[in-house]
Short mmCIF file of all heavy atoms in Angstrom, two decimals:
data_model
loop_
_atom_site.label_atom_id
_atom_site.label_comp_id
_atom_site.label_asym_id
_atom_site.label_seq_id
_atom_site.Cartn_x
_atom_site.Cartn_y
_atom_site.Cartn_z
N ARG A 105 -145.47 -18.41 22.04
CA ARG A 105 -145.90 -18.95 20.73
C ARG A 105 -145.83 -20.48 20.73
O ARG A 105 -146.75 -21.15 20.28
CB ARG A 105 -145.02 -18.37 19.62
CG ARG A 105 -145.44 -18.79 18.22
CD ARG A 105 -144.68 -18.04 17.15
NE ARG A 105 -143.25 -18.23 17.22
CZ ARG A 105 -142.38 -17.34 17.68
NH1 ARG A 105 -142.81 -16.17 18.09
NH2 ARG A 105 -141.08 -17.60 17.71
N VAL A 106 -144.75 -21.04 21.27
CA VAL A 106 -144.62 -22.51 21.34
C VAL A 106 -145.77 -23.09 22.16
O VAL A 106 -146.44 -24.05 21.74
CB VAL A 106 -143.26 -22.92 21.96
CG1 VAL A 106 -143.21 -24.42 22.20
CG2 VAL A 106 -142.11 -22.49 21.06
N LEU A 107 -146.01 -22.50 23.33
CA LEU A 107 -147.07 -23.03 24.21
C LEU A 107 -148.44 -22.91 23.56
O LEU A 107 -149.26 -23.83 23.66
CB LEU A 107 -147.06 -22.29 25.55
CG LEU A 107 -145.86 -22.55 26.47
CD1 LEU A 107 -145.89 -21.60 27.65
CD2 LEU A 107 -145.87 -24.00 26.97
N ARG A 109 -149.21 -23.00 20.48
CA ARG A 109 -149.39 -24.03 19.44
C ARG A 109 -149.41 -25.44 20.05
O ARG A 109 -150.26 -26.25 19.70
CB ARG A 109 -148.26 -23.91 18.41
CG ARG A 109 -148.43 -22.67 17.54
CD ARG A 109 -147.22 -22.43 16.67
NE ARG A 109 -147.45 -21.34 15.73
CZ ARG A 109 -146.49 -20.74 15.03
NH1 ARG A 109 -145.23 -21.13 15.16
NH2 ARG A 109 -146.79 -19.78 14.19
N LEU A 110 -148.50 -25.66 20.95
CA LEU A 110 -148.38 -26.98 21.57
C LEU A 110 -149.69 -27.38 22.26
O LEU A 110 -150.15 -28.51 22.17
CB LEU A 110 -147.25 -26.91 22.60
CG LEU A 110 -146.52 -28.16 23.01
CD1 LEU A 110 -145.88 -28.83 21.81
CD2 LEU A 110 -145.43 -27.79 24.02
N LEU A 149 -136.36 -23.28 20.86
CA LEU A 149 -137.35 -23.95 20.01
C LEU A 149 -138.22 -22.90 19.30
O LEU A 149 -138.49 -22.99 18.10
CB LEU A 149 -138.23 -24.89 20.86
CG LEU A 149 -139.23 -25.76 20.11
CD1 LEU A 149 -138.54 -26.77 19.22
CD2 LEU A 149 -140.15 -26.50 21.10
N VAL A 153 -137.16 -23.01 15.48
CA VAL A 153 -138.01 -24.05 14.87
C VAL A 153 -139.46 -23.57 14.76
O VAL A 153 -140.03 -23.50 13.67
CB VAL A 153 -137.95 -25.38 15.69
CG1 VAL A 153 -138.83 -26.44 15.05
CG2 VAL A 153 -136.51 -25.87 15.79
N CYS A 154 -140.04 -23.23 15.88
CA CYS A 154 -141.46 -22.83 15.89
C CYS A 154 -141.57 -21.34 15.57
O CYS A 154 -142.01 -20.53 16.38
CB CYS A 154 -142.06 -23.16 17.25
SG CYS A 154 -143.85 -23.13 17.25
N LYS A 155 -141.12 -20.98 14.34
CA LYS A 155 -141.04 -19.57 13.97
C LYS A 155 -142.44 -19.00 13.73
O LYS A 155 -143.36 -19.75 13.42
CB LYS A 155 -140.21 -19.43 12.70
CG LYS A 155 -138.78 -19.91 12.86
CD LYS A 155 -138.09 -19.62 11.57
CE LYS A 155 -136.83 -20.42 11.45
NZ LYS A 155 -136.06 -20.02 10.29
N PRO A 159 -143.14 -22.07 10.60
CA PRO A 159 -142.60 -23.04 11.57
C PRO A 159 -142.10 -24.29 10.86
O PRO A 159 -142.69 -24.72 9.86
CB PRO A 159 -143.81 -23.35 12.45
CG PRO A 159 -145.01 -22.97 11.66
CD PRO A 159 -144.59 -21.86 10.76
N LEU A 160 -140.98 -24.83 11.35
CA LEU A 160 -140.37 -25.99 10.71
C LEU A 160 -140.88 -27.27 11.40
O LEU A 160 -140.12 -28.00 12.04
CB LEU A 160 -138.84 -25.90 10.81
CG LEU A 160 -138.26 -24.55 10.32
CD1 LEU A 160 -136.76 -24.47 10.60
CD2 LEU A 160 -138.52 -24.37 8.82
N CYS A 161 -142.18 -27.51 11.24
CA CYS A 161 -142.84 -28.59 11.99
C CYS A 161 -142.24 -29.96 11.66
O CYS A 161 -142.16 -30.82 12.53
CB CYS A 161 -144.33 -28.61 11.71
SG CYS A 161 -145.14 -27.11 12.28
N ASN A 162 -141.84 -30.18 10.39
CA ASN A 162 -141.36 -31.51 10.02
C ASN A 162 -140.12 -31.93 10.80
O ASN A 162 -139.91 -33.11 11.05
CB ASN A 162 -141.10 -31.60 8.51
CG ASN A 162 -142.43 -31.60 7.77
OD1 ASN A 162 -143.46 -31.97 8.35
ND2 ASN A 162 -142.42 -31.16 6.52
N GLY A 163 -139.30 -30.95 11.18
CA GLY A 163 -138.10 -31.30 11.94
C GLY A 163 -138.26 -31.01 13.43
O GLY A 163 -137.28 -31.00 14.15
N CYS A 164 -139.47 -30.74 13.87
CA CYS A 164 -139.69 -30.32 15.27
C CYS A 164 -139.70 -31.52 16.22
O CYS A 164 -140.44 -32.48 16.01
CB CYS A 164 -141.00 -29.56 15.36
SG CYS A 164 -141.38 -29.10 17.07
N PRO A 165 -138.89 -31.45 17.28
CA PRO A 165 -138.82 -32.61 18.19
C PRO A 165 -140.08 -32.86 19.02
O PRO A 165 -140.21 -33.91 19.62
CB PRO A 165 -137.63 -32.24 19.10
CG PRO A 165 -137.51 -30.76 19.02
CD PRO A 165 -137.98 -30.37 17.65
N VAL A 166 -141.01 -31.89 19.05
CA VAL A 166 -142.21 -32.10 19.88
C VAL A 166 -143.48 -32.21 19.04
O VAL A 166 -144.59 -32.10 19.58
CB VAL A 166 -142.37 -30.98 20.95
CG1 VAL A 166 -141.18 -30.97 21.90
CG2 VAL A 166 -142.53 -29.61 20.32
N ARG A 167 -143.32 -32.46 17.74
CA ARG A 167 -144.53 -32.42 16.92
C ARG A 167 -145.55 -33.50 17.28
O ARG A 167 -146.73 -33.32 17.11
CB ARG A 167 -144.19 -32.45 15.42
CG ARG A 167 -143.61 -33.73 14.91
CD ARG A 167 -143.33 -33.56 13.40
NE ARG A 167 -142.98 -34.82 12.80
CZ ARG A 167 -141.76 -35.37 12.86
NH1 ARG A 167 -140.80 -34.74 13.51
NH2 ARG A 167 -141.52 -36.53 12.28
N LYS A 168 -145.06 -34.61 17.85
CA LYS A 168 -145.97 -35.68 18.25
C LYS A 168 -146.95 -35.23 19.34
O LYS A 168 -148.04 -35.75 19.47
CB LYS A 168 -145.18 -36.87 18.79
CG LYS A 168 -144.70 -37.81 17.72
CD LYS A 168 -144.26 -39.11 18.34
CE LYS A 168 -143.39 -39.85 17.36
NZ LYS A 168 -142.29 -40.56 18.00
N PHE A 169 -146.49 -34.27 20.17
CA PHE A 169 -147.35 -33.79 21.27
C PHE A 169 -148.01 -32.46 20.94
O PHE A 169 -148.64 -31.87 21.79
CB PHE A 169 -146.55 -33.59 22.56
CG PHE A 169 -145.44 -34.56 22.76
CD1 PHE A 169 -144.12 -34.20 22.58
CD2 PHE A 169 -145.75 -35.87 23.11
CE1 PHE A 169 -143.10 -35.12 22.77
CE2 PHE A 169 -144.73 -36.80 23.30
CZ PHE A 169 -143.41 -36.43 23.12
N CYS A 170 -147.83 -31.98 19.74
CA CYS A 170 -148.28 -30.62 19.44
C CYS A 170 -149.72 -30.62 18.94
O CYS A 170 -150.02 -31.14 17.86
CB CYS A 170 -147.36 -29.99 18.40
SG CYS A 170 -147.89 -28.34 17.94
N SER A 171 -150.62 -30.03 19.73
CA SER A 171 -152.05 -30.04 19.39
C SER A 171 -152.31 -29.34 18.06
O SER A 171 -153.08 -29.83 17.24
CB SER A 171 -152.85 -29.32 20.47
OG SER A 171 -152.58 -29.90 21.70
N ALA A 172 -151.66 -28.18 17.85
CA ALA A 172 -151.92 -27.44 16.61
C ALA A 172 -151.42 -28.22 15.40
O ALA A 172 -152.08 -28.26 14.36
CB ALA A 172 -151.26 -26.07 16.68
N TYR A 173 -150.26 -28.86 15.54
CA TYR A 173 -149.72 -29.64 14.41
C TYR A 173 -150.64 -30.82 14.11
O TYR A 173 -150.97 -31.08 12.95
CB TYR A 173 -148.30 -30.12 14.76
CG TYR A 173 -147.69 -30.99 13.69
CD1 TYR A 173 -147.23 -30.42 12.50
CD2 TYR A 173 -147.58 -32.37 13.85
CE1 TYR A 173 -146.67 -31.21 11.50
CE2 TYR A 173 -147.04 -33.17 12.86
CZ TYR A 173 -146.57 -32.58 11.69
OH TYR A 173 -146.03 -33.36 10.70
N GLN A 174 -151.07 -31.51 15.15
CA GLN A 174 -151.93 -32.68 14.97
C GLN A 174 -153.26 -32.28 14.32
O GLN A 174 -153.81 -33.03 13.52
CB GLN A 174 -152.20 -33.38 16.31
CG GLN A 174 -150.95 -33.92 17.00
CD GLN A 174 -150.20 -34.98 16.18
OE1 GLN A 174 -150.79 -35.65 15.34
NE2 GLN A 174 -148.90 -35.11 16.40
N VAL A 178 -151.71 -25.00 12.77
CA VAL A 178 -150.54 -24.31 13.33
C VAL A 178 -150.61 -22.79 13.14
O VAL A 178 -150.36 -22.02 14.07
CB VAL A 178 -149.25 -24.87 12.70
CG1 VAL A 178 -148.04 -24.02 13.06
CG2 VAL A 178 -149.03 -26.31 13.16
N LEU A 179 -150.97 -22.37 11.94
CA LEU A 179 -150.92 -20.93 11.67
C LEU A 179 -152.10 -20.15 12.29
O LEU A 179 -152.16 -18.93 12.19
CB LEU A 179 -150.79 -20.66 10.17
CG LEU A 179 -149.43 -21.12 9.60
CD1 LEU A 179 -149.32 -20.82 8.11
CD2 LEU A 179 -148.23 -20.54 10.35
FE1 LIG B 1 -144.27 -25.41 16.64
FE2 LIG B 1 -144.77 -27.04 14.62
FE3 LIG B 1 -143.25 -27.82 16.66
FE4 LIG B 1 -145.85 -27.51 16.98
S1 LIG B 1 -144.86 -28.99 15.67
S2 LIG B 1 -144.24 -26.81 18.37
S3 LIG B 1 -146.24 -25.77 15.68
S4 LIG B 1 -142.79 -26.19 15.18
#
Side-chain angles (χ1 to χ4, degrees):
R105 184 172 59 256
V106 172
L107 290 171
R109 288 171 173 166
L110 204 58
L149 185 65
V153 180
C154 195
K155 299 184 198 188
L160 309 173
C161 297
N162 288 336
C164 176
V166 298
R167 68 180 190 280
K168 274 195 198 143
F169 325 106
C170 178
S171 305
Y173 177 74
Q174 298 299 335
V178 170
L179 292 182

